[in-house]
Amino acid sequence: MKRLLVISYYTPPLGLSGVMRVTKLCKFLPEFGWQPLILTVKPVAYYAYDLDLLSDLKAARLYRTESLDPNRLLFLMGFKGARLQGLQATGSRRLTCLFPDSKIGWLPFALAKGRRMIQEQYPSAIYATAPPFTSLLVALRLKRYFRLPLVTDFRDPWPTGFVPPPGWQKPLLTRLRKRILQKSDLVLAVNRGTAKAVGPGVMVLENGFDPEEFEAEPVRLDGFSILHVGNLWENETELITFAQALSSIPDARLYLAGNVHPATLSWLRPNPQVKFLGTLPHKEVCRLMKGADVLFYLGKPNQPVGLKLYEYLGARRPILVCGPDIKEAEEIVQECGAGVVSDLNAPGLTAALERLRQGAEHFAQGPRDRFNRRLQARWLAARLDELTGKREP
């Protein structure tokens, strides 16, 4: 079995969407002849952990390093869990003095460990995922030292997501990103919007779902259950509008699994049709998805497609798509015949929800294989075989 050096700052036991792509690819790559050697950081201060995700990395080997980045330093100072939620939600703006991102303090430690890993474990290729862009800097240095094929993976086009970075950083980051594209043997992005923003020659390997997680028994929720999964920090107006529209469907219940902005939370809490589930382990969330009557996808500003949409597809329950910047999400849902799109007004939402209620079986039948994490790992393994001179059997 060939070995793949995977450079990823965000890995389990950290939770939330930032860890899912690399975790699931590393789970399935060994089935196709590649063992991941994951270079990551020691425990950091973070407000969401999911220990169950470590079981996905049983066939991988993890190598953890020290770091001088703020999250590691905060952890050493005793900041953990929920105490960090507000701090991390606002802290990124205060750390724009660091280049290319706030994790640059990981660079010397990751480089030293990565060099030892290559000298001792002899990986055949390097895969690095960003954000943080610091991971890509580590990969570029290691490629230069050891001349290994390099796959770079963009989950966002900037360290700041789709929001442009500060003016002084943008030209520097643009040049850095161009250099990354020039020096990489393969460049991937999670969706078409990200690929277009990153630059020419980028291939799309979309996010997806783990089919094994949807083999579990569904968990039913009370009423005509509408489930939203994921944090809600930028959709206060849309979410309140949606909740108000539910008054015309007395048995409807909106369940929110994830963190909600405090102002939105206080506004919605008196509404008896809205239920707050908080942050839950990923396996539990998958069971809730399978049991919901409707899965609610609310687009975020400047985000082409959120991770939750792909997992909704794996649950094979009807999907309702609303909100800003949903063009790519709408195309995916329509391609799969998985749901409907609605404007955020009471008549439109009422009609869309009734259509989903009546046609639940129809919306579960469409094709999904393109988003299966196991098949995506097989595709990536084939590309790695090509880069390292091994033909696919």
Side-chain angles (χ1 to χ4, degrees), residues 221-237:
L221 295 162
D222 292 337
F224 176 49
S225 56
I226 305 161
L227 175 66
H228 180 279
V229 173
N231 293 334
L232 287 163
W233 293 95
E234 300 172 291
N235 294 101
E236 179 176 1
T237 301

Side-chain angles (χ1 to χ4, degrees), residues 10 24 28 62 68 73-74 90 113 174 207-208 210 212 244 248 255 285 300 323 342 356 358 366 378:
Y10 294 108
K24 296 303 181 179
F28 292 116
L62 278 82
L68 296 177
L73 296 177
L74 285 170
T90 60
K113 178 68 81 172
T174 300
N207 276 319
D210 180 347
E212 294 180 357
Q244 291 173 334
S248 61
Y255 294 87
V285 171
K300 292 184 178 181
S342 173
L356 293 170
Q358 298 300 325
R378 184 176 71 182

Side-chain angles (χ1 to χ4, degrees), residues 21-62:
R21 180 174 175 85
V22 71
T23 299
K24 296 303 181 179
L25 288 174
C26 288
K27 173 183 177 178
F28 292 116
L29 276 172
E31 295 182 15
F32 307 105
W34 286 86
Q35 182 189 29
L37 310 173
I38 303 175
L39 172 59
T40 188
V41 71
K42 288 183 178 180
V44 299
Y46 205 61
Y47 61 88
Y49 291 83
D50 192 340
L51 293 172
D52 289 343
L53 290 174
L54 284 170
S55 63
D56 286 336
L57 301 178
K58 290 182 291 188
R61 297 168 65 179
L62 278 82

